[in-house]
Amino acid sequence: MSLYKNLFKQTLIYGLATVFPRIISFILNPLFVYYLPDKSKMGEVSVIFAYLVFFNVVLSYGMETSFFRFYNTEEDKKKVVSTTTVSLFWSSIGFLVISLLFRKSLASWSSINVEYITYTIWILTLDALAIVPFSKLRAEKKPMKYAAIKMSNVTINLLLNVFFLAMLPGLASSDPHGFWNTIYIDNFQIGYIFVSNLVASLFTLVVLIPNYLKITWKFDFALWKRMMTYGWPILFAGIAFAINEHFDKILLDWMHVPMSDIGAYSACYKIGMFMVLFRTAYTLGIEPFFFSHASNENAQQTYATITKYFVIFGSFITLFVIVFADLLKEVLVPNANYWDAMKVVPLIVFANFFLGIYTNLSVWYKLIDKTIIGAYISFVGAAVTLVLNYILIPSMSYYGSAIATIAAYGSMMIISYKMGQKNYPIPYDFTKIFSYLGITVLFSAISFYIPALRDNYILKITLLIVFLYFIYYSEKETLLRIIKRK
């Protein structure tokens, strides 16, 4: 049981580093809703951030996961660190130079203000340069330092956003000839959002600079080729994931959906991201764990148990968010003009839940060094996303995008399970897993989609209690065994 306690400890610390930034993003969401002039500006911010996420994946080109794999298998770990650092450093600098040279062309092509393009290029470069130092902290099991730097980054971002959006206009208007008026730009809210991100990314890189000073800067081409062979499928899988998670905003823009609708969709989409808190924290803790315990005799049973408990916790979080979605919107989306997009929330929550289950099921191809399979599966998901968006957006607008998202992750989850059982059989307890999923779907539908019951919180809370009792009844023996061991 100490194995699971160690996993829980790492997941908790990494979870703080992940949950805290997500909490900040939840705070920023109502801040943007309140201080941006209208929904269309929210749409612009969402589209630019979608591009940002997409190019973040490209600039890492699978080297983060590849780093973990080779750091755990190579005797000369310093060589792994230096080779990865040199590769990412020069690719990032190359991207910076080329992108700045062609930023006006990029702005013309994307219909995005060239100033915003410039900020985005610098943010992408700074974030790419921080990849290896952050990965090294995780590999060396220094979660506290990792968490402190990550949390500092988002705190700076938050404080600057609050200052620029909420405080600076008042300071400037109160003293038209004073200092604050010299740095205030009228109607520059979107620009201030990206300036805040840029300063936070710069701070993070400055803190991590010592990592660049300590390495030998030696480049092992043979090792790099092996790392790229392992990592390039992960790059394509990452691109596919970026398509599944964020490309819908770009597609909505390309297919001429009004920016105001994209803004409403993006704001309400954030409520569905509560599942991402749990899923992302779990992934950060579990990926090194999977690799370090792959050689254990009972590895498959361990993975099966972990998956079952992921489903238990994930089911509860999913049901909780959907039950209280109409209360959450009052805090996270404090503008009734945005609420017409609330219908996407259950779909987004379940989509991210399916993605978390897929993360568990995908362990098999990483452990047998067949990451190319992950790329294939991800491309299937991306294809589902693109095709369904193309078909559904003209008639259903952003609701079609939400349907495409849950269909994509659901298909990836099923494909990974089917292929995994043929190549690396894991004894999942599917009787209980399907029971938990089925009850979650049923109770969610009752609480959200039946108009007469949607405001009945006595019933909703009763459903939550019934679900928790069912979990206790089903897992009673395991829970009592854990308590006795304590």
Side-chain angles (χ1 to χ4, degrees):
M1 197 56 66
S2 61
L3 185 70
Y4 300 114
K5 287 182 179 179
N6 185 52
L7 171 62
F8 177 78
K9 180 181 177 182
Q10 285 199 48
T11 301
L12 179 63
I13 298 173
Y14 285 124
L16 288 174
T18 305
V19 171
F20 188 71
R22 295 292 184 180
I23 291 173
I24 298 301
S25 75
F26 286 135
I27 296 173
L28 288 174
N29 196 63
L31 186 73
F32 295 164
V33 167
Y34 189 81
Y35 285 102
L36 288 177
D38 51 49
K39 291 190 290 184
S40 64
K41 294 299 182 184
M42 186 67 160
E44 285 186 57
V45 172
S46 303
V47 170
I48 298 172
F49 271 117
Y51 280 113
L52 193 68
V53 171
F54 188 82
F55 282 101
N56 263 328
V57 173
V58 173
L59 286 175
S60 67
Y61 50 91
M63 289 298 280
E64 185 174 11
T65 302
S66 190
F67 173 86
F68 284 121
R69 180 61 173 174
F70 285 85
Y71 191 90
N72 280 286
T73 58
E74 294 289 313
E75 289 188 14
D76 191 348
K77 300 186 187 304
K78 290 183 179 180
K79 184 168 63 176
V80 175
V81 174
S82 62
T83 299
T84 311
T85 301
V86 171
S87 179
L88 282 167
F89 178 82
W90 287 112
S91 62
S92 301
I93 297 301
F95 165 80
L96 174 66
V97 173
I98 294 171
S99 298
L100 288 178
L101 287 174
F102 292 97
R103 65 185 182 275
K104 290 184 179 179
S105 298
L106 291 170
S108 176
W109 170 78
S110 62
S111 300
I112 296 173
N113 187 305
V114 68
E115 199 164 8
Y116 305 157
I117 291 284
T118 303
Y119 291 139
T120 302
I121 291 168
W122 278 103
I123 292 168
L124 285 166
T125 302
L126 295 173
D127 288 348
L129 292 173
I131 290 172
V132 177
F134 272 130
S135 298
K136 188 167 176 284
L137 289 175
R138 287 175 59 194
E140 293 177 346
K141 293 181 171 52
K142 296 180 179 178
M144 294 299 293
K145 186 174 181 180
Y146 175 95
I149 298 173
K150 284 283 188 180
M151 292 167 72
S152 298
N153 173 285
V154 295
T155 300
I156 290 171
N157 185 27
L158 171 65
L159 293 176
L160 287 176
N161 270 286
V162 170
F163 172 74
F164 284 129
L165 297 178
M167 298 174 63
L168 183 58
L171 292 171
S173 63
S174 65
D175 187 7
H177 303 290
F179 169 75
W180 298 118
N181 198 58
T182 63
I183 64 173
Y184 174 69
I185 304 173
D186 196 28
N187 295 319
F188 192 63
Q189 292 93 338
I190 295 177
Y192 285 135
I193 290 171
F194 288 99
V195 168
S196 301
N197 275 269
L198 177 60
V199 173
S201 294
L202 179 60
F203 165 82
T204 299
L205 185 62
V206 169
V207 172
L208 295 171
I209 280 292
N211 289 273
Y212 281 93
L213 303 177
K214 293 177 182 178
I215 67 168
T216 56
W217 288 86
K218 291 181 179 179
F219 185 76
D220 188 315
F221 185 71
L223 173 62
W224 180 80
K225 284 202 302 182
R226 288 193 291 131
M227 294 182 75
M228 287 298 293
T229 300
Y230 183 85
W232 74 262
I234 297 171
L235 163 62
F236 289 107
I239 291 174
F241 270 124
I243 290 173
N244 291 331
E245 289 204 49
H246 298 281
F247 208 65
D248 53 350
K249 284 84 173 178
I250 297 173
L251 287 172
L252 289 166
D253 182 31
W254 287 357
M255 297 182 75
H256 308 295
V257 172
M259 274 292 176
S260 58
D261 286 349
I262 300 175
Y265 171 59
S266 301
C268 291
Y269 193 105
K270 188 68 70 175
I271 298 175
M273 297 291 280
F274 271 96
M275 174 54 63
V276 179
L277 303 181
F278 173 58
R279 191 200 79 212
T280 308
Y282 172 84
T283 301
L284 284 169
I286 204 65
E287 191 172 66
F289 177 86
F290 279 155
F291 287 131
S292 62
H293 291 84
S295 59
N296 288 8
E297 185 178 347
N298 62 339
Q300 283 93 333
Q301 184 59 55
T302 299
Y303 300 151
T305 303
I306 289 171
T307 299
K308 183 179 72 170
Y309 282 100
F310 175 88
V311 171
I312 289 173
F313 285 110
S315 295
F316 176 74
I317 293 170
T318 296
L319 184 58
F320 184 90
V321 172
I322 293 172
V323 161
F324 294 109
D326 287 318
L327 296 180
L328 292 171
K329 76 181 180 185
E330 300 281 352
V331 178
L332 298 177
V333 190
N335 187 331
N337 291 328
Y338 287 74
W339 292 349
D340 54 338
M342 277 298 295
K343 58 188 176 182
V344 305
V345 171
L347 297 181
I348 300 305
V349 177
F350 270 104
N352 281 287
F353 187 19
F354 290 165
L355 180 58
I357 296 174
Y358 168 77
T359 300
N360 282 273
L361 300 177
S362 67
V363 61
W364 65 272
Y365 64 72
K366 293 180 181 179
L367 295 177
I368 64 174
D369 291 341
K370 294 279 183 72
T371 52
I372 184 65
I373 295 174
Y376 293 150
I377 296 173
S378 297
F379 272 117
V380 171
V384 171
T385 295
L386 294 174
V387 171
L388 287 182
N389 269 287
Y390 180 77
I391 294 172
L392 298 177
I393 285 175
S395 60
M396 304 179 72
S397 188
Y398 53 76
Y399 195 68
S401 294
I403 292 173
T405 301
I406 193 171
Y409 291 147
S411 63
M412 290 168 58
M413 177 180 65
I414 293 169
I415 292 170
S416 183
Y417 167 70
K418 293 291 186 182
M419 294 183 68
Q421 292 304 90
K422 292 180 180 179
N423 294 276
Y424 191 86
I426 296 176
Y428 297 112
D429 188 352
F430 272 102
T431 300
K432 289 186 176 181
I433 287 175
F434 279 123
S435 297
Y436 302 144
L437 285 174
I439 292 175
T440 304
V441 171
L442 176 62
F443 286 3
S444 296
I446 292 172
S447 64
F448 195 89
Y449 289 111
I450 299 178
L453 302 178
R454 189 157 169 177
D455 294 327
N456 189 338
Y457 284 96
I458 295 176
L459 173 66
K460 289 182 173 185
I461 294 171
T462 300
L463 291 177
L464 275 173
I465 294 171
V466 169
F467 178 78
L468 287 173
Y469 178 77
F470 181 76
I471 295 295
Y472 170 76
Y473 181 82
S474 301
E475 302 295 328
K476 182 166 55 177
E477 292 183 6
T478 303
L479 293 172
L480 291 175
R481 189 164 59 248
I482 293 174
I483 292 171
K484 287 180 180 179
R485 290 194 179 189
K486 287 182 179 180

